[in-house]
Each structure stands twice: as C-alpha cells, then as structure tokens.
Amino acid sequence: MMTATKEPERVLTAQLEPAKLLLVDDDRDALFALQAILEPLHQELLLAESGKDALRLCLDHNIAVILLDVRMPEMDGFETAELIRSRKRSRHTPILFLTAYRSDEQLFRGYDLGAVDFLFKPIVPEILQSKVSVFVELSRSEQILRRQAEEIARAEAQFRAVLEAAPDAMVITSEAGQIELANSRADALFGHARAELVHRDIRSLIPEWTPGLPESGPPSLEHRLTAVREDGSSLPVQITRNPFTTREGRFITTAIRDATDQVQAEARIQQINRELERRVAERTAALTYSNEALRQFAWAASHDLQEPIRTVMSYSQWLAESSVKTLSQPETQMLDTIQQQAARLVALLAALQQYILVAESGENHWTSVDCRAAVDAANSNLHGMIQESSATVECGRLPVVTGTEVMLVQLFQNLISNGIKYRSAAPPRIQISAEAAGDLWIFSVRDNGRGIDAKYHDYVFGVFKRLDRGQTAGTGMGLAICKAVVERLGGRIWIEPSAGPGALFRFSLPRCREGVSAEV
Amino acid sequence: MSEVVKILLAEDNPADVWLIREALMRQSLACEIEHYTSAEDAIRALERCGAEAAPDLILVDYNLPTGDGGQVLAAASSNPHLARVPKAVLSSYIRPQEMDHILQLGAARFISKPANLREFLGVVGSTVVELLKRPSA
C-alpha cells in the first residue's frame, strides 16, 4: 500500500525466462514443422505427441500457450483441453487449436473449452508466429507483474521488519491524523491492542499532535509533548515527524519516544544546578561576610589599636619629661625603648591603614592624574631623605593615568624611598621612565642600590616583609602598598630579573586618555 | 580671656581627656568641661541644651561608643541654640569620605590626634584658642 518501490524496469525484465510453448500433435512431422516455424521466436518449445504427454508437461511447467491438434488418437484435442482446464495450474493457459476442418460444431466446442483461437491447416507460418508472439508477450508481461508483486511484498516485509525493530513507537498516519499503521512498541507504549490503534485519530494518543511541516524534507526537530495511555495516565514523549507522499496521498510517520527517563534526568540536573547555585550563593555570602569581617578587622587593627599605642607613646614621653632628673640611667634607657617601640608600632599601623585605604579606593573617586606631578609630590615629601643621602631622582616623560593622586604619590614615593634606603656606597640615583606597550603603560623605576636577590622578587611585595632588618628603618609595607596601588588600578608590578647593578622595578598601568607630561 | 570658658567634650578615652585638659591648662584657659563618654549621652545633652546653658565650644572624638562623632555633630547642628557654637572633631585618623561628612555636618576643624605628646598638646591647645577667638559667625 504505502511502499513506493521505484526499482528500474530493467531490473524486472533483465533475466526473464523464455516463455514455454507447448506443441501437441500426434503427427511427428507436423510437430517438427511447428517447431521449425516457432524456432525464430527464441522461446522454449515443449513437444508432446499425445494428449497424455501434453497433460504431464502441463503439470510440470507454466506454459505460455498451448498449440493443440484437434484430431489425435486415444485422447483428442478437445478431451485433452478439457483435462488441461480441469487442473488448477493450467486452468487459464491459452489454447490454440489446430484443425484441418472448418466446422461450426468444432468451433463452438473449442471455444466452450476455453480455446482462444483456431488455426487451420495448412498452417501459414507468419500467421502462427504472429499469434504465438502475442501470447509470448502476454507471458512476459505476466512474469514482470509477478516479479513486481514479489518485489513489493519483499519491500513491505522489509519495511515492517524495520518498523518493528525500531526502538521507538512508530505510527503512520494520514495527514488528517488517522492511524494507518503502528508497530508493537506503539501497542506497548500506549497500552492498546494494535487492532484498536489502526483507524483511530493519533490525537487520542497525543492530543497536541499536528501534521506540521512542509511537503517533505528532513524530519522535524524533536518535539516534547504529553501523551495519554489507554488507562488515562499521561507520559512525556519526544516525537519526530517525517512526512512522505504516495499515490494515495500524504502520510506522516511519527516516531514517539518515551521521555520519562529524560524528563527525570533533566529534573535531577535542574535540582543539582539549583543546589549548586545555592551552595555558590552560600559560599559567596560566606566569603563576602569573611571579606567584610577581615576588612573591619584590618581597619580595627590599624585604627583602634592606634588609639592605645598613641596613649602609651604620649604618656611615656610625659613621664620622661617630668622625671628626667629622678630616673636612673637604665630607667631612662628603658623609657626610651618604650617610646621607640611605641613610635614604631604607630608607624606600622599608619602604613597598614594606607594599605587598606588603597584596597578600599572606589573607582568613582578616580580622576586623571599626571604621573609627573605625582613624582614631584613624592620628591617633595621625601625632601629630607633626598637631601640627607645626596640622592638624585631623574624623571623622563610620564603619562596621565586614571586613579587618585594619593595612590600614585604613594606608589612613586615608596619606590623612590626604597631605592634610597637600600642604597650602595655610591650616592643614590633613581631613574623613572614610561613607555607605551599596546593598551598599557610600562613604567620603569631603576636605582643604583644593592639590588634584590631574585629569590626575594616576590617576597618583598608581601605585607610587613623587609630585607636587612637591622640596617634600614622601613615598616615593611612600602612595596606591599605599591603592589596594592598598581593592582587596584588594573596593573601589575614586578622586579626585572638580572637588570644589572641596582634594582629595576617595572609596573604596568592601563592607558586611558592620551596625554604625556612635558619632559623636565 | 578672663571669664571661664565652657566646653562640651565627647571623648571616651580618659587618657585623652587628661591630655586635652593639660593642653587647655597650658594655654592658661580657665575652663569648665562638660564631659560625656558615649555618643548617646552627648546627643541627649545636646538635644536638651537651651540658650542659657550653651557651651562656647564643642569637641567631639570621632570614635565613640554607641555611635560616631558625626551623629553627635548632627545633634548639635540641629539645635538652633547651638548653631553658632564652633565645633571640632578629634581623631587619630579619619577616612577622606568621613572628613567630607563631618565638614558638611558643621565641624569647623578636624584635629588629628598626633602620637607625639608635644604635638598633641600644641595642636589641641592652639586650635581651641583659635576657635574661641573667632567671632561667632
């Protein structure tokens, strides 16, 4: 019905067997004469010299046409024809009678027995060939038809086998949705006997089903719908539709997959995702809380601790002043030590405070800052130290960057004072320059000091990290503040390895607006 | 400056109270100090304060228990009897945004408490004298 096999005709005609022509005559000469006439047709000729022989051959072969002599001894042509007709296999085999007499009675009897024609002796070869050719052609057509029917049956069997083997329920419907065919998976899925499914509307199984789709082409994308079982329960299904057209109209193959497992898996994934999101939110909240707690702690450490230490410092000064004459030498030294250590703690806390302020610096307070002006301000703040050490600070053309002036002054001031503190025997010389590299400025701050061992290149940027504890009076916060400033402004700071004597600090800052301060 | 100057002081650290008294003494200021140790107490006093009891100067430490100096300042500034009284905020450190805030709230000065004794006595004493000399705006 729906199997549209389009095999080329030549396959069907390619190996057609020759038609079998049965020649029956008791006169052997006449038989040979017939044989000679029909030989050029290139068909298979079966010869019988009696009715009996003819009957036997009819049992064994599918005969295309029988040429039957009417007058024969024992069993004449009519009796033979009658018996031939009585057998199933040869009931419809065309019979041509050969006779010498034109008798109406014979003709009637012959036609009665199913004769298709009479040929009168003497036989005219051309007429015989022509008439037999018609039957040969008829036999060939019949053979082709039989093969076509076999082909169709084979294809349909194949189609049904495929349909049955499909992992999904398969339903073929008319365009209107009437079910024409369903496989056993469909029975199982919907809980109907197959006979019940055929001729039903598919929408009784899948209410939202639509024929959808243009003429032909690839199957529709998978489509999630709800199906209804015979017992009224519903289940999620995934359907794929594929239309095809035959002479009988347009049909739609609907593949239906039970999507229960898939839906459950999706629900599980969603649940896991929600759980994950919840945990991430919790973790984030915990981190935010702990960041805020740390920030508050840092602020308290730098600020609230400063109050008592400031009191310790000022009161010990008071004590030193008021008791300058009554204290012994060791007692005065102890009081000095208290003051020095208190002063140091005040300085450490102030540096820590600066560091925290950098980290807290909000972008909404940022403006364009001329780095050259920041270097000048830093030099001014370090005036005493620069004078005392006979240091020189050389500065090339520097750009304008985004940030706060305080942050950039801190950055340059800490780098310059670092170069002076860690000086060599020669007078300190600090060189500051900047160059553009893509969307960054790369700044260089080079000194001629003692240099920094490569193994400390990361260490020195840590909070309260110092080298040479005894010889320099730093808080250990200077480079940590530099790193905090640069990173807060979106850059990176590092020490250039093996850059000769002294240290070469480099840091990057994002380029914003164009603008380079004048060289001085 | 012969008459007794009345100063309202909100300060929780007794050590600083002592230093402030010392600074005022070294300026030879005869003063009566009304002292509160929490923001809550100071605010209550400032809200109730009438014209006859108004101090000549209000000194507020920024970090106080139960509130901050900004709240104390706000209470003082919103009392019409105290609107013209000079106000100063003291702290060992203040953040830039907090500085803007206290100036908006009517503080005439921010006094950073120096760690060094001499500096502390000097800056507190001179600032108080300067604020008292100002003609009430």
PDB file of all heavy atoms in Angstrom, chain A residues 480-509:
ATOM      1  N   ALA A 480      54.489  46.590  49.543  1.00  0.00           N
ATOM      2  CA  ALA A 480      53.142  45.998  49.603  1.00  0.00           C
ATOM      3  C   ALA A 480      52.117  47.039  49.176  1.00  0.00           C
ATOM      4  O   ALA A 480      51.157  46.734  48.455  1.00  0.00           O
ATOM      5  CB  ALA A 480      52.846  45.497  51.012  1.00  0.00           C
ATOM      6  N   ILE A 481      52.330  48.286  49.608  1.00  0.00           N
ATOM      7  CA  ILE A 481      51.417  49.364  49.206  1.00  0.00           C
ATOM      8  C   ILE A 481      51.536  49.610  47.701  1.00  0.00           C
ATOM      9  O   ILE A 481      50.529  49.771  47.004  1.00  0.00           O
ATOM     10  CB  ILE A 481      51.701  50.651  50.022  1.00  0.00           C
ATOM     11  CG1 ILE A 481      51.246  50.437  51.479  1.00  0.00           C
ATOM     12  CG2 ILE A 481      51.002  51.861  49.415  1.00  0.00           C
ATOM     13  CD1 ILE A 481      51.648  51.548  52.427  1.00  0.00           C
ATOM     14  N   CYS A 482      52.775  49.577  47.154  1.00  0.00           N
ATOM     15  CA  CYS A 482      52.970  49.746  45.708  1.00  0.00           C
ATOM     16  C   CYS A 482      52.174  48.691  44.934  1.00  0.00           C
ATOM     17  O   CYS A 482      51.494  48.987  43.948  1.00  0.00           O
ATOM     18  CB  CYS A 482      54.453  49.620  45.342  1.00  0.00           C
ATOM     19  SG  CYS A 482      55.427  51.004  45.938  1.00  0.00           S
ATOM     20  N   LYS A 483      52.302  47.454  45.399  1.00  0.00           N
ATOM     21  CA  LYS A 483      51.602  46.353  44.721  1.00  0.00           C
ATOM     22  C   LYS A 483      50.087  46.556  44.808  1.00  0.00           C
ATOM     23  O   LYS A 483      49.365  46.380  43.826  1.00  0.00           O
ATOM     24  CB  LYS A 483      51.992  45.025  45.383  1.00  0.00           C
ATOM     25  CG  LYS A 483      51.406  43.778  44.732  1.00  0.00           C
ATOM     26  CD  LYS A 483      52.012  42.556  45.426  1.00  0.00           C
ATOM     27  CE  LYS A 483      51.147  41.319  45.296  1.00  0.00           C
ATOM     28  NZ  LYS A 483      51.267  40.680  43.978  1.00  0.00           N
ATOM     29  N   ALA A 484      49.615  46.963  45.991  1.00  0.00           N
ATOM     30  CA  ALA A 484      48.174  47.183  46.172  1.00  0.00           C
ATOM     31  C   ALA A 484      47.689  48.301  45.250  1.00  0.00           C
ATOM     32  O   ALA A 484      46.630  48.178  44.615  1.00  0.00           O
ATOM     33  CB  ALA A 484      47.871  47.520  47.628  1.00  0.00           C
ATOM     34  N   VAL A 485      48.472  49.382  45.138  1.00  0.00           N
ATOM     35  CA  VAL A 485      48.079  50.509  44.282  1.00  0.00           C
ATOM     36  C   VAL A 485      48.002  50.054  42.819  1.00  0.00           C
ATOM     37  O   VAL A 485      46.985  50.253  42.146  1.00  0.00           O
ATOM     38  CB  VAL A 485      49.072  51.688  44.422  1.00  0.00           C
ATOM     39  CG1 VAL A 485      48.839  52.711  43.319  1.00  0.00           C
ATOM     40  CG2 VAL A 485      48.947  52.345  45.788  1.00  0.00           C
ATOM     41  N   VAL A 486      49.089  49.414  42.352  1.00  0.00           N
ATOM     42  CA  VAL A 486      49.148  49.027  40.937  1.00  0.00           C
ATOM     43  C   VAL A 486      48.019  48.049  40.606  1.00  0.00           C
ATOM     44  O   VAL A 486      47.323  48.191  39.603  1.00  0.00           O
ATOM     45  CB  VAL A 486      50.529  48.413  40.602  1.00  0.00           C
ATOM     46  CG1 VAL A 486      50.518  47.782  39.219  1.00  0.00           C
ATOM     47  CG2 VAL A 486      51.613  49.487  40.695  1.00  0.00           C
ATOM     48  N   GLU A 487      47.826  47.071  41.486  1.00  0.00           N
ATOM     49  CA  GLU A 487      46.797  46.065  41.194  1.00  0.00           C
ATOM     50  C   GLU A 487      45.396  46.662  41.286  1.00  0.00           C
ATOM     51  O   GLU A 487      44.518  46.307  40.504  1.00  0.00           O
ATOM     52  CB  GLU A 487      46.963  44.852  42.115  1.00  0.00           C
ATOM     53  CG  GLU A 487      48.197  44.052  41.694  1.00  0.00           C
ATOM     54  CD  GLU A 487      48.451  42.818  42.536  1.00  0.00           C
ATOM     55  OE1 GLU A 487      47.714  42.600  43.515  1.00  0.00           O
ATOM     56  OE2 GLU A 487      49.404  42.080  42.205  1.00  0.00           O
ATOM     57  N   ARG A 488      45.210  47.587  42.231  1.00  0.00           N
ATOM     58  CA  ARG A 488      43.900  48.230  42.338  1.00  0.00           C
ATOM     59  C   ARG A 488      43.595  49.025  41.080  1.00  0.00           C
ATOM     60  O   ARG A 488      42.446  49.120  40.648  1.00  0.00           O
ATOM     61  CB  ARG A 488      43.878  49.147  43.579  1.00  0.00           C
ATOM     62  CG  ARG A 488      42.531  49.789  43.859  1.00  0.00           C
ATOM     63  CD  ARG A 488      41.520  48.752  44.295  1.00  0.00           C
ATOM     64  NE  ARG A 488      40.172  49.277  44.309  1.00  0.00           N
ATOM     65  CZ  ARG A 488      39.305  49.130  43.300  1.00  0.00           C
ATOM     66  NH1 ARG A 488      39.675  48.449  42.225  1.00  0.00           N
ATOM     67  NH2 ARG A 488      38.095  49.630  43.377  1.00  0.00           N
ATOM     68  N   LEU A 489      44.646  49.583  40.443  1.00  0.00           N
ATOM     69  CA  LEU A 489      44.443  50.386  39.233  1.00  0.00           C
ATOM     70  C   LEU A 489      44.457  49.517  37.966  1.00  0.00           C
ATOM     71  O   LEU A 489      44.432  50.038  36.860  1.00  0.00           O
ATOM     72  CB  LEU A 489      45.523  51.483  39.136  1.00  0.00           C
ATOM     73  CG  LEU A 489      45.496  52.544  40.255  1.00  0.00           C
ATOM     74  CD1 LEU A 489      46.591  53.565  40.043  1.00  0.00           C
ATOM     75  CD2 LEU A 489      44.137  53.245  40.325  1.00  0.00           C
ATOM     76  N   GLY A 490      44.519  48.199  38.153  1.00  0.00           N
ATOM     77  CA  GLY A 490      44.405  47.296  36.996  1.00  0.00           C
ATOM     78  C   GLY A 490      45.729  46.944  36.347  1.00  0.00           C
ATOM     79  O   GLY A 490      45.770  46.537  35.186  1.00  0.00           O
ATOM     80  N   GLY A 491      46.835  47.093  37.087  1.00  0.00           N
ATOM     81  CA  GLY A 491      48.146  46.767  36.513  1.00  0.00           C
ATOM     82  C   GLY A 491      48.845  45.665  37.274  1.00  0.00           C
ATOM     83  O   GLY A 491      48.212  44.928  38.043  1.00  0.00           O
ATOM     84  N   ARG A 492      50.140  45.577  37.058  1.00  0.00           N
ATOM     85  CA  ARG A 492      50.944  44.502  37.633  1.00  0.00           C
ATOM     86  C   ARG A 492      52.307  45.105  37.960  1.00  0.00           C
ATOM     87  O   ARG A 492      52.774  45.989  37.235  1.00  0.00           O
ATOM     88  CB  ARG A 492      51.112  43.416  36.565  1.00  0.00           C
ATOM     89  CG  ARG A 492      51.429  42.041  37.049  1.00  0.00           C
ATOM     90  CD  ARG A 492      51.246  41.064  35.892  1.00  0.00           C
ATOM     91  NE  ARG A 492      52.231  41.262  34.837  1.00  0.00           N
ATOM     92  CZ  ARG A 492      53.490  40.833  34.897  1.00  0.00           C
ATOM     93  NH1 ARG A 492      53.934  40.193  35.941  1.00  0.00           N
ATOM     94  NH2 ARG A 492      54.310  41.052  33.899  1.00  0.00           N
ATOM     95  N   ILE A 493      52.944  44.658  39.033  1.00  0.00           N
ATOM     96  CA  ILE A 493      54.277  45.177  39.371  1.00  0.00           C
ATOM     97  C   ILE A 493      55.233  44.014  39.544  1.00  0.00           C
ATOM     98  O   ILE A 493      54.834  42.949  40.013  1.00  0.00           O
ATOM     99  CB  ILE A 493      54.231  46.072  40.634  1.00  0.00           C
ATOM    100  CG1 ILE A 493      55.580  46.781  40.843  1.00  0.00           C
ATOM    101  CG2 ILE A 493      53.860  45.284  41.883  1.00  0.00           C
ATOM    102  CD1 ILE A 493      55.518  47.924  41.844  1.00  0.00           C
ATOM    103  N   TRP A 494      56.472  44.211  39.087  1.00  0.00           N
ATOM    104  CA  TRP A 494      57.448  43.135  39.220  1.00  0.00           C
ATOM    105  C   TRP A 494      58.853  43.723  39.241  1.00  0.00           C
ATOM    106  O   TRP A 494      59.029  44.908  38.947  1.00  0.00           O
ATOM    107  CB  TRP A 494      57.298  42.125  38.082  1.00  0.00           C
ATOM    108  CG  TRP A 494      57.666  42.640  36.706  1.00  0.00           C
ATOM    109  CD1 TRP A 494      58.845  42.462  36.055  1.00  0.00           C
ATOM    110  CD2 TRP A 494      56.830  43.393  35.813  1.00  0.00           C
ATOM    111  NE1 TRP A 494      58.806  43.058  34.818  1.00  0.00           N
ATOM    112  CE2 TRP A 494      57.586  43.643  34.641  1.00  0.00           C
ATOM    113  CE3 TRP A 494      55.523  43.895  35.895  1.00  0.00           C
ATOM    114  CZ2 TRP A 494      57.082  44.360  33.558  1.00  0.00           C
ATOM    115  CZ3 TRP A 494      55.022  44.614  34.808  1.00  0.00           C
ATOM    116  CH2 TRP A 494      55.795  44.837  33.652  1.00  0.00           C
ATOM    117  N   ILE A 495      59.807  42.870  39.613  1.00  0.00           N
ATOM    118  CA  ILE A 495      61.206  43.301  39.586  1.00  0.00           C
ATOM    119  C   ILE A 495      61.846  42.617  38.387  1.00  0.00           C
ATOM    120  O   ILE A 495      61.727  41.397  38.226  1.00  0.00           O
ATOM    121  CB  ILE A 495      61.924  42.910  40.888  1.00  0.00           C
ATOM    122  CG1 ILE A 495      61.257  43.635  42.070  1.00  0.00           C
ATOM    123  CG2 ILE A 495      63.405  43.257  40.817  1.00  0.00           C
ATOM    124  CD1 ILE A 495      61.725  43.151  43.423  1.00  0.00           C
ATOM    125  N   GLU A 496      62.478  43.391  37.531  1.00  0.00           N
ATOM    126  CA  GLU A 496      63.092  42.832  36.315  1.00  0.00           C
ATOM    127  C   GLU A 496      64.307  42.005  36.736  1.00  0.00           C
ATOM    128  O   GLU A 496      65.177  42.494  37.451  1.00  0.00           O
ATOM    129  CB  GLU A 496      63.514  43.986  35.405  1.00  0.00           C
ATOM    130  CG  GLU A 496      63.565  43.638  33.938  1.00  0.00           C
ATOM    131  CD  GLU A 496      62.196  43.241  33.379  1.00  0.00           C
ATOM    132  OE1 GLU A 496      61.226  44.016  33.496  1.00  0.00           O
ATOM    133  OE2 GLU A 496      62.129  42.138  32.835  1.00  0.00           O
ATOM    134  N   PRO A 497      64.354  40.724  36.353  1.00  0.00           N
ATOM    135  CA  PRO A 497      65.486  39.902  36.779  1.00  0.00           C
ATOM    136  C   PRO A 497      66.784  40.315  36.061  1.00  0.00           C
ATOM    137  O   PRO A 497      66.739  40.769  34.931  1.00  0.00           O
ATOM    138  CB  PRO A 497      65.064  38.479  36.402  1.00  0.00           C
ATOM    139  CG  PRO A 497      63.963  38.622  35.440  1.00  0.00           C
ATOM    140  CD  PRO A 497      63.398  40.016  35.521  1.00  0.00           C
ATOM    141  N   SER A 498      67.876  40.132  36.746  1.00  0.00           N
ATOM    142  CA  SER A 498      69.230  40.429  36.263  1.00  0.00           C
ATOM    143  C   SER A 498      69.283  41.681  35.392  1.00  0.00           C
ATOM    144  O   SER A 498      69.613  41.634  34.221  1.00  0.00           O
ATOM    145  CB  SER A 498      69.817  39.233  35.499  1.00  0.00           C
ATOM    146  OG  SER A 498      68.893  38.721  34.587  1.00  0.00           O
ATOM    147  N   ALA A 499      68.883  42.791  35.996  1.00  0.00           N
ATOM    148  CA  ALA A 499      68.890  44.061  35.274  1.00  0.00           C
ATOM    149  C   ALA A 499      70.126  44.875  35.646  1.00  0.00           C
ATOM    150  O   ALA A 499      70.075  46.085  35.738  1.00  0.00           O
ATOM    151  CB  ALA A 499      67.633  44.847  35.588  1.00  0.00           C
ATOM    152  N   GLY A 500      71.215  44.181  35.876  1.00  0.00           N
ATOM    153  CA  GLY A 500      72.458  44.906  36.175  1.00  0.00           C
ATOM    154  C   GLY A 500      72.542  45.278  37.645  1.00  0.00           C
ATOM    155  O   GLY A 500      71.757  44.766  38.454  1.00  0.00           O
ATOM    156  N   PRO A 501      73.465  46.177  37.983  1.00  0.00           N
ATOM    157  CA  PRO A 501      73.576  46.584  39.378  1.00  0.00           C
ATOM    158  C   PRO A 501      72.337  47.382  39.761  1.00  0.00           C
ATOM    159  O   PRO A 501      71.689  47.970  38.905  1.00  0.00           O
ATOM    160  CB  PRO A 501      74.829  47.478  39.387  1.00  0.00           C
ATOM    161  CG  PRO A 501      74.959  47.962  37.983  1.00  0.00           C
ATOM    162  CD  PRO A 501      74.385  46.905  37.106  1.00  0.00           C
ATOM    163  N   GLY A 502      72.007  47.357  41.022  1.00  0.00           N
ATOM    164  CA  GLY A 502      70.795  48.042  41.463  1.00  0.00           C
ATOM    165  C   GLY A 502      69.567  47.199  41.140  1.00  0.00           C
ATOM    166  O   GLY A 502      69.678  46.051  40.705  1.00  0.00           O
ATOM    167  N   ALA A 503      68.412  47.789  41.382  1.00  0.00           N
ATOM    168  CA  ALA A 503      67.165  47.070  41.126  1.00  0.00           C
ATOM    169  C   ALA A 503      66.370  47.818  40.066  1.00  0.00           C
ATOM    170  O   ALA A 503      66.451  49.049  39.978  1.00  0.00           O
ATOM    171  CB  ALA A 503      66.348  46.952  42.413  1.00  0.00           C
ATOM    172  N   LEU A 504      65.664  47.053  39.231  1.00  0.00           N
ATOM    173  CA  LEU A 504      64.786  47.684  38.235  1.00  0.00           C
ATOM    174  C   LEU A 504      63.359  47.215  38.500  1.00  0.00           C
ATOM    175  O   LEU A 504      63.008  46.055  38.261  1.00  0.00           O
ATOM    176  CB  LEU A 504      65.223  47.300  36.819  1.00  0.00           C
ATOM    177  CG  LEU A 504      64.304  47.772  35.683  1.00  0.00           C
ATOM    178  CD1 LEU A 504      64.055  49.277  35.735  1.00  0.00           C
ATOM    179  CD2 LEU A 504      64.888  47.380  34.330  1.00  0.00           C
ATOM    180  N   PHE A 505      62.565  48.142  39.041  1.00  0.00           N
ATOM    181  CA  PHE A 505      61.154  47.841  39.256  1.00  0.00           C
ATOM    182  C   PHE A 505      60.390  48.232  37.989  1.00  0.00           C
ATOM    183  O   PHE A 505      60.660  49.276  37.386  1.00  0.00           O
ATOM    184  CB  PHE A 505      60.599  48.662  40.429  1.00  0.00           C
ATOM    185  CG  PHE A 505      61.018  48.137  41.766  1.00  0.00           C
ATOM    186  CD1 PHE A 505      62.236  48.506  42.324  1.00  0.00           C
ATOM    187  CD2 PHE A 505      60.203  47.255  42.454  1.00  0.00           C
ATOM    188  CE1 PHE A 505      62.621  48.006  43.556  1.00  0.00           C
ATOM    189  CE2 PHE A 505      60.587  46.766  43.699  1.00  0.00           C
ATOM    190  CZ  PHE A 505      61.807  47.135  44.247  1.00  0.00           C
ATOM    191  N   ARG A 506      59.446  47.383  37.615  1.00  0.00           N
ATOM    192  CA  ARG A 506      58.578  47.724  36.478  1.00  0.00           C
ATOM    193  C   ARG A 506      57.137  47.564  36.933  1.00  0.00           C
ATOM    194  O   ARG A 506      56.828  46.672  37.713  1.00  0.00           O
ATOM    195  CB  ARG A 506      58.840  46.757  35.313  1.00  0.00           C
ATOM    196  CG  ARG A 506      60.123  47.047  34.544  1.00  0.00           C
ATOM    197  CD  ARG A 506      59.810  47.361  33.087  1.00  0.00           C
ATOM    198  NE  ARG A 506      60.920  48.015  32.421  1.00  0.00           N
ATOM    199  CZ  ARG A 506      61.911  47.355  31.805  1.00  0.00           C
ATOM    200  NH1 ARG A 506      61.931  46.038  31.788  1.00  0.00           N
ATOM    201  NH2 ARG A 506      62.858  48.036  31.203  1.00  0.00           N
ATOM    202  N   PHE A 507      56.293  48.434  36.445  1.00  0.00           N
ATOM    203  CA  PHE A 507      54.856  48.196  36.676  1.00  0.00           C
ATOM    204  C   PHE A 507      54.074  48.671  35.468  1.00  0.00           C
ATOM    205  O   PHE A 507      54.525  49.542  34.714  1.00  0.00           O
ATOM    206  CB  PHE A 507      54.373  48.853  37.979  1.00  0.00           C
ATOM    207  CG  PHE A 507      54.500  50.348  38.050  1.00  0.00           C
ATOM    208  CD1 PHE A 507      53.472  51.176  37.603  1.00  0.00           C
ATOM    209  CD2 PHE A 507      55.641  50.933  38.586  1.00  0.00           C
ATOM    210  CE1 PHE A 507      53.593  52.553  37.700  1.00  0.00           C
ATOM    211  CE2 PHE A 507      55.759  52.317  38.680  1.00  0.00           C
ATOM    212  CZ  PHE A 507      54.735  53.135  38.234  1.00  0.00           C
ATOM    213  N   SER A 508      52.914  48.057  35.276  1.00  0.00           N
ATOM    214  CA  SER A 508      52.068  48.421  34.139  1.00  0.00           C
ATOM    215  C   SER A 508      50.806  49.091  34.673  1.00  0.00           C
ATOM    216  O   SER A 508      50.342  48.776  35.778  1.00  0.00           O
ATOM    217  CB  SER A 508      51.682  47.160  33.351  1.00  0.00           C
ATOM    218  OG  SER A 508      50.956  46.271  34.175  1.00  0.00           O
ATOM    219  N   LEU A 509      50.296  50.037  33.915  1.00  0.00           N
ATOM    220  CA  LEU A 509      49.000  50.654  34.228  1.00  0.00           C
ATOM    221  C   LEU A 509      48.240  50.773  32.916  1.00  0.00           C
ATOM    222  O   LEU A 509      48.844  50.972  31.865  1.00  0.00           O
ATOM    223  CB  LEU A 509      49.192  52.042  34.848  1.00  0.00           C
ATOM    224  CG  LEU A 509      49.752  52.103  36.272  1.00  0.00           C
ATOM    225  CD1 LEU A 509      49.928  53.551  36.714  1.00  0.00           C
ATOM    226  CD2 LEU A 509      48.852  51.361  37.256  1.00  0.00           C
TER     227      LEU A 509
END
